[in-house]
């Protein structure tokens, strides 16, 4: 049976780095190439040696597809393409191609410059890697080679995130990456057509969660910000450069407008300014509402949010500042944090996940005395809050997507097996499909049942229809033909035509069976007896006694000879062609019963 | 409000049950196959005593789930075991489920406790206790009340028959005493050790139009003698009676709640006592609201009572333009946090709210 093989190299059963290997109809595709943010050593990269021990990756892989710019999906790409070695095509959407290198460079700077690591990719490597990227549009079918084609679908989640449909011949796989089935303030919801893939690979990070309504989250967030600003405090929101920052900006802008607040909101310069620029550029990737109002007012031209200057941090009075990077591990956000940490009127709101080891993680765990460079101790008196606005699909969303795409099988990544048994059963029961949950390094084989198109020769078809409809015109009719497989095409032709095309001669098979009959009389008398006997029984068949002493039943030949050693025994030779097998066997068993007395 | 969290379940529930470890259980009651029983872990905000505004985890997590072929109308955990019992139409049989398994998060169906000659029986109401053994008290009508041992499915007690009215609730007051409330409002006490006897409490005031009743009793309050806690009965017209079980011949209090009339039927009538606040109870099932009352000022006059707090959150649910407002199907109090309640409605919403005592009261 043909099969699709899937091996997660990361994100099999953990959240961290996504990297999935898919083998479909002889093609090998790598889906995402992410980095684990929690490790500082080689564990952060997927284990590429699994793919091929000594072969070249470029020869083995047909293409690499990146779903979106989050580092846990693309962070290991330069390492993979430049340090491990891959020169084939890398596919991603236009916004992802534009924003990826920025994030990679940012992360590289922090890891190498600030942390002083050596085994890491360089800026040049990022540039070289991006040269191998082929950007795709939504719903555009891209031919990777003659047999492999891919198509991107809108996934929501972050700007430029896409779900990919991969097709080889009649077999197909859909990979969702991270997606979101409910629209938010600046992005729409994921959507896919009824493509009926053999396999749907979906993330399931939030599958077992019933999420608090967005309204409540936002309301609490705004309440905290408002309270702090009202009492003259400063609010620091470290953002992870792109993604949620824009969502929060829109949220605050709308709130400030509604409540007529005067405190300034700042957006730190550099990285995130460029990000806003990209959001404006890729406005078609944002949601309906933004696009509609874009003509009157660009949602990303904020009235109340201004560019930040380092000196502003020392200004007295309330303010809100969005600064990068998101985990307070270095850079401007850390600088501002150090300035404001000592005042209990201030507040820092962490809007996302913080990797262990970063200042962000430490303060969220409750630490209030931090050791900084030069062994300085920083006492944190400011309020620390956490608010997660990340956009992932929950169980209801996953079911919705499955309902839209109608896959034959489902594979879940990014979750824990034990805790997903219920979801697995739910999917299996509701959609009657098989659901798989492999661990990292574990290969799942999915059997597919592809349709193979076969051309039937007109002559053969005409011949069959000439026979006329069977007793039950609605039932499928059995027909015989010869299947010719030539040059990737399949044709069904009559055997005669096949023989002619292939230049083969037809072989005739003939069976001969010996039946012993006790009869002391002469051969021709035995033959007469046999003839009368058969004529009497086989009334529907043409039984003939030929002048040369043989009997024919239809096209079967019966001849009698005397047994060489025993004159009392006659040997009947019954001979038939392969086509008359049934009648031949019947005759033989009939004759073996012996001749009745009296004929 | 001090705090309000709104969640949306994939399917509406008409039960919210607490399980050990602060777990909450909900279940679907749709007609079609595939109703889910979900055991949820509430977000840490609900587990801690102090309410935090922004908390890392604000979501409910589905810890375990099971599939039920019939709608689940009632569910009770069997204390000290890893089992739970459910009931629902079309008959009054009970389904027993195994909750925790080492290697899987699926709640598995284990056995069925059959209904007794149940033709045209409605679904059984249930209550559980683990005193001498894990028992379940069940029955759909007053003359069909039984106590069955859960694991062996053996009958332990059958109540004497005193009529065939439909039951609306039943409860264990302690390991020997049962409390039965009929839909007509009739309240009966039974002692397992004396199968023939059935004591009755003062019946509810009769009404011109037919109304249905349900009850709320306070069980498991620490260290308090169960029968000293008043039993509340609520009618579909909004009438509330409080009865002291030691003096069943008269009402302790009688009041009328402000509810829309005529009510939407008695399907989801629910009244419950606050476990951590003396004298407070909550009612729901009339519309999309939950009312909280302080009964300490009530007397037997049957006057209108003013709620201390009304939760209206579910009325704002209404997904996109539907004319029907959601109906609150059930509510329950948080076991430790005194003013926190959970309520669910027919549109699938699940709210967790913490109300603030209005000024002027202690």
């Amino acid at each position: 049976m043909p099969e699709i093989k899937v091996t997660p190299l990361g994100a099999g059963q953990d959240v961290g780095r996504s990297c999935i290997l898919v083998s479909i109809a002889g093609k090998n595709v790598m889906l995402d190439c992410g980095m684990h943010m929690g490790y500082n050593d080689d564990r952060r990269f997927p284990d590429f040696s699994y793919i091929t021990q000594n072969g070249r990756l470029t020869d083995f892989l047909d293409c690499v597809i990146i779903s979106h710019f989050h580092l846990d999906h693309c962070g290991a790409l330069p390492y993979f393409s430049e340090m491990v070695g891959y020169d084939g095509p890398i596919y991603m959407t236009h916004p992802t191609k534009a924003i990826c290198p920025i994030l990679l460079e940012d992360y590289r700077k922090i890891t190498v410059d600030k942390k002083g690591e050596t085994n890491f990719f360089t800026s040049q490597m990022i540039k070289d890697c991006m040269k191998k990227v082929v950007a795709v549009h939504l719903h555009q079918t891209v031919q990777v080679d003659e047999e492999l084609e891919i198509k991107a679908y809108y996934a929501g989640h972050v700007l430029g995130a896409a779900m990919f449909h991969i097709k080889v011949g009649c077999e197909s796989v859909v990979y969702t990456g991270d997606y979101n089935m409910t629209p938010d303030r600046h992005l729409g919801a994921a959507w896919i057509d009824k493509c009926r893939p053999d396999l749907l690979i979906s993330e399931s990070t939030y599958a077992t969660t019933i999420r608090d309504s967005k309204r409540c989250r936002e309301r609490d967030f705004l309440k905290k910000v408002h309270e702090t600003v009202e009492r003259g405090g400063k609010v620091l929101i470290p953002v992870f450069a792109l993604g949620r920052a824009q969502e929060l900006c829109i949220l605050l802008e709308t709130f400030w407008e509604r409540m007529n607040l005067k405190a300034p909101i700042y957006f730190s310069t550099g990285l995130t300014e460029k990000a806003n620029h990209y959001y404006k550029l890729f406005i078609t990737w944002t949601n309906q509402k933004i696009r509609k109002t874009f003509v009157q007012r660009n949602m990303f031209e904020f009235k109340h949010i201004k560019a930040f200057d380092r000196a502003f941090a020392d200004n007295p009075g309330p303010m809100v500042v969005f600064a990068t990077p998101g985990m307070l591990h270095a850079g401007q956000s850390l600088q501002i944090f150090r300035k404001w940490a000592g005042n209990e009127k201030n507040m820092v709101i962490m809007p996302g996940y913080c990797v262990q080891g970063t200042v962000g993680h430490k303060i969220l765990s409750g630490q209030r005395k931090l050791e900084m460079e030069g062994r300085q101790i920083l006492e944190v008196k400011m309020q620390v809050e956490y608010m997660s606005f990340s956009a992932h699909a929950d169980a209801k969303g996953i079911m919705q997507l499955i309902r839209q795409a109608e896959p034959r099988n489902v594979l879940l990544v990014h979750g824990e097996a034990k805790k997903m048994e219920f979801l697995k059963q739910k999917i299996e029961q509701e959609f009657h499909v098989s659901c798989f949950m492999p661990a990292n390094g574990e290969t799942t084989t999915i059997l597919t049942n592809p349709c193979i198109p076969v051309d039937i020769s007109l002559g053969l078809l005409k011949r069959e229809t000439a026979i006329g409809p069977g007793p039950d015109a609605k039932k499928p009719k059995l027909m015989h033909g010869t299947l010719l497989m030539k040059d990737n095409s399949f044709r069904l032709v009559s055997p005669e035509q096949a023989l002619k095309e292939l230049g083969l001669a037809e072989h005739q098979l003939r069976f001969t069976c010996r039946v012993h009959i006790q009869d002391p009389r002469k051969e021709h008398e035995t033959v007469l007896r046999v003839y009368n006997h058969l004529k009497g029984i086989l009334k529907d068949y043409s039984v003939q006694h030929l002048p040369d002493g043989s009997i024919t039943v239809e096209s079967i030949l019966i001849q009698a000879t005397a047994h060489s050693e025993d004159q009392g025994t006659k040997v009947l030779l019954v001979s038939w062609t392969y086509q008359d097998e049934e009648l031949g066997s019947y005759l033989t068993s009939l004759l073996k019963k012996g001749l009745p007395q009296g004929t | 409000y001090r705090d309000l969290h709104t969640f949306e379940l994939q399917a509406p529930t008409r039960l919210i049950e607490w399980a050990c470890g602060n777990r909450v259980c909900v279940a679907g009651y749709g007609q079609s196959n595939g109703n889910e029983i979900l055991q949820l872990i509430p977000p840490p905000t609900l587990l801690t005593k102090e309410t935090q505004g922004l908390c890392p985890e604000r979501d409910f997590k589905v810890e375990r789930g099971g599939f039920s072929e019939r709608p689940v109308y009632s569910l009770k955990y069997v204390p000290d075991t890893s089992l739970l019992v459910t009931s629902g139409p079309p008959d009054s049989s009970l389904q027993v489920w195994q909750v925790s398994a080492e290697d899987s998060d699926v709640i598995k169906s284990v056995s069925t406790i059959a209904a007794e000659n149940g033709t045209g029986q409605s679904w059984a109401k249930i209550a559980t206790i683990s005193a001498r053994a894990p028992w379940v008290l069940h029955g759909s009508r007053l003359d069909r009340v039984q106590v069955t041992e859960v694991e062996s499915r053996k009958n332990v007690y059958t109540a004497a028959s005193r009529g065939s009215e439909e039951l609306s609730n039943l409860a264990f007051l302690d390991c020997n005493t049962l409390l039965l409330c009929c839909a007509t409002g009739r309240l009966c006490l039974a002692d397992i050790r004396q199968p023939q006897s059935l004591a009755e409490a003062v019946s509810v005031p009769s009404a011109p139009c037919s109304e249905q009743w349900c009850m709320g009793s306070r069980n498991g309050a620490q260290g308090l003698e169960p029968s000293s806690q008043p039993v509340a009965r609520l009618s579909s017209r909004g009438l509330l009676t409080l009865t002291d079980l030691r003096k069943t011949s008269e009402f302790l209090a009688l009041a009328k709640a402000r509810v829309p009339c005529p009510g939407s039927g008695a399907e989801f009538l629910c009244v419950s006592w606050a476990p951590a606040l003396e004298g407070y109870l909550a009612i729901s099932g009339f519309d999309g609201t939950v009312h909280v009352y302080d009964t300490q000022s009530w007397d037997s006059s049957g006057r209108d009572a003013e709620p201390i707090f009304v939760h209206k959150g579910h009325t704002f649910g209404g997904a996109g333009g539907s004319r029907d407002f959601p109906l609150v199907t059930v509510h329950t109090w948080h076991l430790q946090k005194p003013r926190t309640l959970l309520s669910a409605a027919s549109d699938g919403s699940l709210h967790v709210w913490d109300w603030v005592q209005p000024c002027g009261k202690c």
Side-chain angles (χ1 to χ4, degrees), chain B residues 166-189:
Chain B
E166 198 178 311
L167 286 172
S168 57
N169 304 84
L170 28 75
F172 277 101
L173 272 185
D174 58 37
C175 57
N176 293 314
T177 322
L178 313 174
L179 192 57
L180 314 166
C181 179
C182 303
T184 53
R186 200 170 153 193
L187 191 64
C188 303
L189 276 163

Side-chain angles (χ1 to χ4, degrees), chain A residues 208 210 212-213 217 426, chain B residues 6 8 10 58-60 62:
Chain A
T208 51
I210 295 178
D212 186 5
S213 77
R217 257 173 230 264
K426 191 168 147 146
Chain B
T6 63
E8 206 179 294
Q10 250 189 290
R58 295 166 59 101
D59 309 316
F60 272 94
V62 176

